[in-house]
């Protein structure tokens, strides 16, 4: 098993894995929108990065880290936007290794804070994130899609 940065040539495999992740979390999945956004993220380092967990040539998981800026955080921040490890590879420490890889990259990029969202109904994910120093905030995240991107 290896962890490496995703390339545009990995896009089809990533989209297939994203479909599994979205089904697992019961999220709406639009393959065209997903492919466009993933291609932008992989192709534009200022936006962040994607790492793959590989079992030989097979993609067994991925993590997407998106960069931003926050006055409250004191500068550059990042959002651990998506992490998914396929069922046969879970509970082996690979999710932790993906998170550690992203956190190291965030530090190198001068990121002050890394954020994420997690379903309260997912105790395994909550424990994983807490082990890596993520703590709950009193704030609630709200989202509004922009009309031009709905």
């Amino acid at each position: 098993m290896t962890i490496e940065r995703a390339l545009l040539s990995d896009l089809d495999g990533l989209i297939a894995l994203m479909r599994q992740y979205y089904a697992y979390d019961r999220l709406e999945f639009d393959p065209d929108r997903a492919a466009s956004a993933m291609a932008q993220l992989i192709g534009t380092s200022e936006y962040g990065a994607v790492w793959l967990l590989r079992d030989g040539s097979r993609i067994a998981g991925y993590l997407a880290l998106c960069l931003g800026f926050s006055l409250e955080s004191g500068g550059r921040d990042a959002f651990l936007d998506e992490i998914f490890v396929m069922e046969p590879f879970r509970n082996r420490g690979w999710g932790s290794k993906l998170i550690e890889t992203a956190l190291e990259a965030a530090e190198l990029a001068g990121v002050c804070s890394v954020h994420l969202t997690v379903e309260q109904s997912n105790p395994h994910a909550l424990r994983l994130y807490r082990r890596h120093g993520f703590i709950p905030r009193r704030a609630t995240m709200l989202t509004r899609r922009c009309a031009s991107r709905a």
Side-chain angles (χ1 to χ4, degrees), residues 39-97:
Q40 289 179 67
L41 180 57
I42 292 171
T44 312
S45 61
E46 296 86 33
Y47 291 173
V50 178
W51 288 269
L52 304 177
L53 174 62
R54 284 198 189 274
D55 180 26
S57 63
R58 178 181 183 196
I59 300 174
Y62 74 99
L63 181 144
L65 183 75
C66 300
L67 299 174
F69 192 90
S70 167
L71 295 173
E72 183 180 338
S73 293
R76 194 115 215 231
D77 70 346
F79 202 88
L80 199 162
D81 194 46
E82 294 186 4
I83 181 171
F84 182 72
V85 176
M86 291 174 56
E87 182 66 39
F89 302 97
R90 292 184 192 153
N91 299 310
R92 297 183 185 184
W94 292 112
S96 283
K97 289 189 186 323

Side-chain angles (χ1 to χ4, degrees), residues 95-128:
S96 283
K97 289 189 186 323
L98 282 166
I99 292 170
E100 290 163 7
T101 299
L103 292 176
E104 287 172 16
E107 289 279 337
L108 289 172
V111 167
C112 301
S113 298
V114 178
H115 316 283
L116 59 80
T117 60
V118 61
E119 296 293 328
Q120 292 293 320
S121 61
N122 189 342
H124 299 296
L126 283 165
R127 280 193 300 275
L128 171 67

